[in-house]
């Protein structure tokens, strides 16, 4: 693991790191904020998954999470959204290819070799974090924005014993039923829609996945609300399954990091209460 940069913030350390991933076959970059802590302490960890076109840098530069993490004593981990680099397949569209990994393990060529973000986020990166940072892997929470909200929900629902808290900002609630998701899942996974269900929070819940509770913030002025995000589908799935969902519709807020940064401290505190 290579340290790209470190900087002191709110008494802790914001770092950016790179390593050679065996899962994606590429170098992968990620950000970790470690709050101030006593020597030997093991801290809870909050995973943050970013949205379309983003890298680790978007939330690191615009997310305003460090003060809340320092006060709560939570390690904050932000991976990239896809493999990158020369030789990695890409697409001219912003919503597919590099920057748009959708947190799936692709099965279709040419994507299958590198686009394995599910395995990267679920298995490889957690092992690296556990080996190199002062984390207590028995206390993990996960959150994310947009495509990353979809990733957070689906990863947590598939791994209920690993994640003690789940939240999201404007998540793609049902990729099976929106243009972003239909495009990505068909090209990454093929035409069999049954194979897509492992990457759709509503479908996972319909198929028996459960969570203790979920927190979602959604801007009412979000341009993608009606066509792409559809939080009402998640609300209906959770109601049918008996999963407590706190869905906060925030008047006037859009899809940007102005929205995320406004409510991210609330999410950090919410996770901290469940990871303490």
């Amino acid at each position: 693991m290579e340290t790209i940069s470190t900087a002191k913030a709110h008494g802790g350390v914001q770092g950016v790191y790179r390593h050679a991933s065996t899962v994606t076959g590429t170098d992968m970059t990620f950000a970790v904020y470690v709050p101030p802590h006593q020597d030997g302490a093991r801290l809870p960890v909050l995973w943050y998954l970013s949205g379309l076109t983003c890298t680790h840098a978007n939330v690191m530069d615009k997310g305003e999470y460090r003060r809340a993490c320092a006060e709560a004593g939570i390690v904050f981990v932000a991976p990239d959204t896809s493999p990158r680099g020369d030789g990695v397949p890409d697409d001219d569209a912003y919503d597919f290819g590099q920057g748009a990994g959708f947190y799936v393990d692709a099965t279709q060529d040419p994507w299958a070799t590198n686009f394995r973000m599910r395995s990267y986020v679920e298995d490889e990166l957690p092992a690296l974090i556990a080996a190199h940072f002062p984390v207590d892997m028995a206390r993990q929470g996960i959150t994310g924005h947009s495509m990353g909200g979809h990733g957070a929900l689906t990863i947590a629902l598939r791994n209920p014993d690993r994640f003690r808290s789940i939240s999201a900002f404007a998540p793609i609630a049902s990729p099976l039923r929106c243009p972003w998701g239909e495009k990505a899942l068909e090209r990454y996974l093929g035409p069999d829609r049954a194979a897509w269900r492992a990457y759709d929070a509503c479908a996972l819940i319909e198929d028996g996945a459960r969570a203790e509770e979920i927190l979602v913030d959604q801007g009412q002025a979000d341009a993608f609300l009606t066509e792409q995000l559809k939080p009402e589908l998640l609300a209906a799935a959770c109601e049918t399954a008996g999963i407590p969902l706190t869905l906060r519709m925030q008047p006037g807020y859009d899809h940007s990091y102005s929205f995320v940064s406004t409510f991210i401290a609330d999410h950090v505190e919410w996770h901290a209460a469940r990871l303490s």
Side-chain angles (χ1 to χ4, degrees):
M1 190 180 71
E2 174 190 358
T3 300
I4 297 175
S5 66
T6 58
K8 189 170 182 177
H10 298 284
V13 176
Q14 176 66 68
V16 179
Y17 308 91
R18 179 167 51 222
H19 74 114
S21 168
T22 58
V23 168
T24 68
T26 67
D27 284 350
M28 296 293 292
T29 303
F30 60 95
V32 180
Y33 175 71
V34 178
H37 61 282
Q38 294 181 346
D39 289 345
R42 292 286 168 178
L43 308 175
V45 56
L46 178 59
W47 296 86
Y48 178 92
L49 305 184
S50 296
L52 289 167
T53 75
C54 292
T55 71
H56 67 282
N58 295 77
V59 69
M60 190 179 76
D61 294 343
K62 304 175 185 178
E64 301 181 24
Y65 56 84
R66 281 175 283 266
R67 180 184 293 277
C69 287
E71 292 173 352
I74 286 183
V75 174
F76 189 95
V77 181
D80 203 345
T81 53
S82 77
R84 301 177 191 271
D86 295 339
V88 177
D90 200 5
D91 191 273
D92 290 337
Y94 77 95
D95 57 353
F96 193 76
Q98 294 188 33
F102 269 83
Y103 304 99
V104 308
D105 279 356
T107 59
Q108 303 300 299
D109 291 333
W111 316 101
T113 299
N114 304 114
F115 280 73
R116 302 184 60 215
M117 291 303 294
R118 171 181 177 172
S119 292
Y120 180 71
V121 173
E122 287 188 357
D123 300 317
E124 185 177 35
L125 187 57
L128 192 71
I129 296 298
H132 291 278
F133 296 93
V135 294
D136 178 359
M137 298 301 278
R139 294 187 289 162
Q140 295 185 69
I142 191 166
T143 188
H145 174 228
S146 192
M147 179 186 72
H150 137 75
L153 292 171
T154 55
I155 288 170
L157 287 166
R158 288 194 305 263
N159 298 276
D161 295 334
R162 182 181 300 182
F163 296 99
R164 289 170 52 177
S165 54
I166 313 166
S167 74
F169 301 86
I172 303 172
S174 183
L176 275 77
R177 290 175 280 184
C178 76
W180 278 342
E182 290 180 328
K183 173 182 178 178
L185 296 181
E186 181 167 16
R187 294 185 66 185
Y188 286 137
L189 303 176
D192 181 6
R193 294 177 69 92
W196 304 4
R197 296 183 68 82
Y199 300 106
D200 183 296
C202 296
L204 284 166
I205 292 169
E206 291 168 4
D207 293 344
R210 294 294 181 264
E212 290 293 327
E213 58 182 322
I214 300 171
L215 170 65
V216 171
D217 272 303
Q218 171 65 62
Q220 287 185 339
D222 192 321
F224 304 112
L225 176 60
T226 302
E227 183 180 24
Q228 304 283 10
L229 305 177
K230 303 185 179 183
E232 69 279 2
L233 298 179
L234 180 63
C238 287
E239 182 177 6
T240 299
I243 298 173
L245 169 67
T246 301
L247 174 58
R248 306 193 302 190
M249 300 298 296
Q250 303 291 0
Y253 284 92
D254 61 13
H255 199 67
S256 70
Y257 267 93
S258 297
F259 157 67
V260 174
S261 66
T262 299
F263 300 103
I264 199 165
D266 287 353
H267 284 240
V268 171
E269 292 169 6
W270 187 86
H271 285 276
R274 287 149 183 82
L275 299 176
S276 62

